[in-house]
Amino acid sequence: MHKGTLDRFSLPTLSPAPTIARHNQPPQGAKKEEFAMNAAGFIGVGAMGAEMAGHAAKAGFIVHAHDPDPEAAANAARKGAKICPSLAEMARLADVFVVMVATDAQSESVVNDLLACGLALGATIVIAATNHPKTMVTLGEKCRAAGVGFVDAPVCYGLQGAKQGALISLCGGTAEDIARITPLLMSYSSSVEHLGEIGCGQIGKTCNNMMHWAACVANYEVLALAKSCGIDAQAMRETLLKCPARNTTLERWDTTRFTWHQKDMDVALDLSQMAGLALPLFGAVDQLVKRLGPDLVRQLLHEERASYLGQEIPVTPLSQLAKSSL
């Protein structure tokens, strides 16, 4: 439930255009040693985190990894990471820490534990997980008080992008902190986007997520209409991928798992309420995307029968529909 009494919070205002700094390499004119890091620590090396850590190791970074799951840790080790049994040990060995966990509470716990270890002055914590912008503001303030850099840098393109080392890192933080960690981010990213101050990376990820889930609903309804009029839905999808209506969500629909949509939409609608901005379309998307899933998409694309909103999609050739409407 989204409450109308949510407290407002102050996120830094984006600077006037041009605001987005894109990095495909270290900033021009920068001395290599100014952006060199002795070691990077990856906390949370599940499916995506392990791939990211592996790319960092291949790029020449000394990579330390920590995960409470022994299998995840072992997988990261096979990709070149040195396993740390505790955050306390990692805090002694690394100066940049990439956090890739599932929830805001986990990010808060990791950051609090790292700060309690007494990180070296100038160390930087990077939240690559998808969290609420408000959480980033709070954690950023704690890090600043401890003399530790902080960047929120959630990523786009999911597991496939992580495997390919082609994620997009959306960053919020100071230009200095982001410049320092850009070489590390670029080891697993095709681009690093500086959107503004702390929290703005998560806002950017929320905007991307909103477009993705809206596209999921739009794609389903469009192909359901085509199917109901007698056109094969998969054939229609392949045709649309050649048309201006093409979208990345439609292109990758076979692999969309419909995970995290509730969390993503909760953040989006919380932000809109805090900003006092009505988003009626996304209020509907929030409800409709909950009724979709990979099984329904598979049925729509590849099976004779499919359903939407609990009802079977009627399939009638257009010639018959035209006659019945006379």
Side-chain angles (χ1 to χ4, degrees):
M1 295 293 292
H2 302 288
K3 300 179 181 179
T5 57
L6 291 171
D7 293 334
R8 289 178 178 270
F9 68 96
S10 177
L11 281 176
T13 302
L14 293 178
S15 303
T19 57
I20 301 177
R22 295 178 172 84
H23 300 292
N24 294 309
Q25 57 187 359
Q28 291 185 353
K31 296 180 180 179
K32 183 177 180 180
E33 61 268 23
E34 291 179 350
F35 296 93
M37 290 166 285
N38 293 325
F42 283 77
I43 300 102
V45 284
M48 288 187 61
E51 297 292 343
M52 294 159 66
H55 286 298
K58 289 179 182 177
F61 293 96
I62 300 172
V63 174
H64 301 278
H66 173 75
D67 196 294
D69 182 349
E71 293 185 5
N75 183 44
R78 289 192 290 270
K79 295 180 182 296
K82 303 175 185 295
I83 303 306
C84 289
S86 69
L87 289 181
E89 180 177 344
M90 180 180 285
R92 293 188 295 102
L93 297 173
D95 49 11
V96 176
F97 305 85
V98 180
V99 182
M100 192 61 173
V101 293
T103 68
D104 287 52
Q106 290 173 340
S107 291
E108 291 171 340
S109 176
V110 169
V111 171
N112 289 335
D113 288 350
L114 285 173
L115 293 179
C117 293
L119 299 182
L121 190 67
T124 305
I125 295 176
V126 181
I127 303 296
T130 300
N131 289 164
H132 199 297
K134 183 176 182 178
T135 304
M136 300 298 96
V137 172
T138 300
L139 294 180
E141 290 174 348
K142 289 184 177 181
C143 287
R144 183 170 59 250
V148 172
F150 182 88
V151 176
D152 60 300
V155 295
C156 298
Y157 284 114
L159 182 57
Q160 181 178 342
K163 288 181 177 180
Q164 297 173 346
L167 296 168
I168 304 294
S169 291
L170 307 178
C171 299
T174 67
E176 179 182 3
D177 284 341
I178 293 172
R180 180 169 183 265
I181 65 171
T182 288
L184 175 62
L185 301 190
M186 284 302 302
S187 71
Y188 58 77
S189 306
S190 62
S191 183
V192 173
E193 306 289 326
H194 185 187
L195 298 177
E197 295 185 333
I198 291 173
C200 292
Q202 298 292 350
I203 292 178
K205 181 62 183 291
T206 296
C207 291
N208 176 80
N209 292 343
M210 291 168 71
M211 294 292 286
H212 169 65
W213 296 122
C216 280
V217 174
N219 291 341
Y220 199 94
E221 291 194 356
V222 164
L223 296 182
L225 176 61
K227 188 180 188 75
S228 70
C229 294
I231 300 177
D232 179 80
Q234 175 62 9
M236 187 73 254
R237 174 197 178 202
E238 293 173 357
T239 298
L240 288 174
L241 289 174
K242 303 173 185 177
C243 298
R246 177 186 180 277
N247 59 78
T248 304
T249 298
L250 185 61
E251 180 181 355
R252 302 175 66 186
W253 223 17
D254 291 313
T255 59
T256 298
R257 295 179 295 171
F258 288 86
T259 51
W260 307 113
H261 55 272
Q262 183 169 341
K263 172 187 172 182
D264 292 343
M265 292 307 303
D266 282 350
V267 172
L269 296 182
D270 282 349
L271 284 173
S272 72
Q273 289 182 3
M274 291 173 182
L277 175 66
L279 297 177
L281 171 61
F282 284 95
V285 169
D286 178 48
Q287 297 303 311
L288 292 172
V289 75
K290 295 174 183 177
R291 307 291 295 273
L292 299 179
D295 290 340
L296 288 179
V297 170
R298 186 191 68 254
Q299 292 169 9
L300 178 66
L301 295 178
H302 304 297
E303 298 183 12
E304 183 177 346
R305 294 184 176 181
S307 63
Y308 184 46
L309 302 180
Q311 296 184 347
E312 184 173 341
I313 297 172
V315 178
T316 307
L318 179 58
S319 57
Q320 295 183 29
L321 287 175
K323 290 179 181 178
S324 65
S325 65
L326 295 177

